[in-house]
């Protein structure tokens, strides 16, 4: 069973601080990596995707990918109360299973004023 | 606006009844998916379809059935054989591209009475 692992949290972050979320995956053939944000009772919404080793920045969010170590992380800078949500890491398992994403259980982030 | 429409948003079912969840997309996506989410857990794949008139079982297909007669539609039937159907059901779609990004509907919450 191909697995995607995340710390469940909750991760408590003071407002204005950096939230750091980590995700590890078991399948070395994984091609693309996604971070989705999910508010309680709502559907997931895409925050970022990354497919090359290194960093990718988009506004206050930075995704980091290290395929050799099989981990992907998400940094949220200047955390805001609106960032309080569950963050799901998802992995595309490769070209022979395109579009199928394997999800982690999610990390709950709580930003405290 | 393009998007994915799921209905109903909330559904109550008595034990022993079959129920069908609707999913319609106007994004012209080839592939459609059904995921199940339980509290505190990630998304688990039930069924997916990459082309009309063809679909594949996901990780937890037992007790569910689907059809894909039209590109735009991918209904999910939760049968009486599904022993624990109370969950949040998410429909998603995407196209074959290098990212594999999934687009989600708003979800359907099924409760068994």
């Amino acid at each position: 069973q191909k697995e995607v692992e995340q710390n469940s949290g909750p991760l408590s972050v003071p407002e204005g601080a950096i939230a750091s979320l980590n995700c590890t995956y078991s399948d070395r053939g994984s091609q693309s990596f996604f971070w989705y944000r999910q508010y309680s009772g709502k559907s997931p919404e895409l925050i970022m995707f990354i497919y090359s080793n290194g960093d990718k920045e988009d506004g206050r969010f930075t995704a980091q990918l290290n395929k050799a170590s099989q981990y992907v992380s998400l940094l949220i800078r200047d955390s805001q109360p609106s960032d309080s949500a569950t963050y799901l890491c998802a992995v595309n398992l490769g070209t022979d299973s395109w579009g199928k994403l394997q999800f982690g259980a999610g990390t709950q982030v709580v930003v405290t004023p | 606006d393009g998007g994915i429409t799921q209905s109903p948003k909330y559904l109550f079912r008595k034990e022993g009844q079959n129920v069908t969840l609707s999913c319609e997309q106007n994004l012209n996506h080839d592939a459609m998916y059904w995921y199940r989410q339980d509290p505190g857990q990630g998304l688990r794949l039930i069924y997916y379809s990459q082309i009309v008139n063809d679909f594949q079982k996901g990780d937890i297909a037992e007790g569910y059935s689907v059809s894909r007669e039209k590109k735009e539609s991918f209904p999910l039937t939760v049968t009486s054989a599904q022993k624990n159907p109370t969950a949040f059901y998410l429909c998603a779609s995407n196209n074959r591209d290098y990212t594999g990004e999934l687009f989600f509907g708003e979800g359907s919450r099924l409760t068994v009475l």
Side-chain angles (χ1 to χ4, degrees):
Chain A
Q1 174 75 8
K2 296 164 182 152
E3 295 182 347
V4 178
E5 301 284 346
Q6 297 181 252
N7 292 328
S8 61
L11 177 65
S12 183
V13 180
E15 185 173 355
I18 296 174
S20 178
L21 291 75
N22 296 315
C23 172
T24 60
Y25 58 94
S26 62
D27 185 4
R28 286 194 172 275
S30 301
Q31 301 280 323
S32 308
F33 308 85
F34 304 82
W35 284 101
Y36 283 85
R37 176 176 64 197
Q38 187 177 27
Y39 293 114
S40 181
K42 303 296 184 181
S43 62
E45 54 181 333
L46 183 69
I47 299 294
M48 294 192 69
F49 73 87
I50 186 168
Y51 59 92
S52 297
N53 277 328
D55 295 357
K56 181 181 180 182
E57 185 174 319
D58 184 0
R60 295 186 296 111
F61 299 94
T62 299
Q64 300 172 318
L65 174 62
N66 184 324
K67 289 187 177 180
S69 301
Q70 295 177 244
Y71 83 79
V72 56
S73 63
L74 180 69
L75 300 178
I76 308 174
R77 291 183 301 279
D78 188 23
S79 295
Q80 302 297 310
S82 60
D83 295 325
S84 297
T86 296
Y87 290 79
L88 301 171
C89 174
V91 176
N92 185 322
L93 298 179
T95 55
D96 61 341
S97 56
W98 67 272
K100 286 176 58 181
L101 298 191
Q102 189 84 16
F103 284 83
T107 297
Q108 184 186 4
V109 173
V110 178
V111 180
T112 56
Chain B
D1 283 327
I4 300 175
T5 302
Q6 289 187 239
S7 64
K9 193 170 183 178
Y10 298 96
L11 185 61
F12 298 90
R13 187 194 95 171
K14 293 182 180 179
E15 286 191 18
Q17 287 182 335
N18 292 352
V19 294
T20 296
L21 308 181
S22 171
C23 178
E24 302 278 335
Q25 56 100 357
N26 60 4
L27 300 168
N28 199 32
H29 284 167
D30 295 316
M32 298 186 73
Y33 307 81
W34 276 104
Y35 284 90
R36 168 180 172 144
Q37 188 175 33
D38 294 284
Q41 298 190 30
L43 280 63
R44 292 184 289 168
L45 183 64
I46 304 172
Y47 268 100
Y48 67 102
S49 168
Q50 295 177 328
I51 193 170
V52 174
N53 293 323
D54 186 53
F55 49 83
Q56 306 296 328
K57 292 183 179 179
D59 300 320
I60 55 165
E62 184 176 351
Y64 300 96
S65 66
V66 293
S67 63
R68 187 87 186 275
E69 297 177 0
K70 299 187 300 182
K71 185 176 183 177
E72 301 80 15
S73 179
F74 191 42
L76 173 74
T77 297
V78 184
T79 75
S80 57
Q82 169 52 235
K83 298 305 179 187
N84 186 21
T86 295
F88 188 46
Y89 291 88
L90 287 157
C91 180
S93 70
N94 67 1
N95 262 343
R96 180 190 289 269
D97 61 25
Y98 76 103
T99 68
E101 175 189 352
L102 280 177
F103 295 80
F104 285 93
E106 293 190 342
S108 294
R109 188 168 299 279
L110 173 62
T111 302
V112 174
L113 304 174

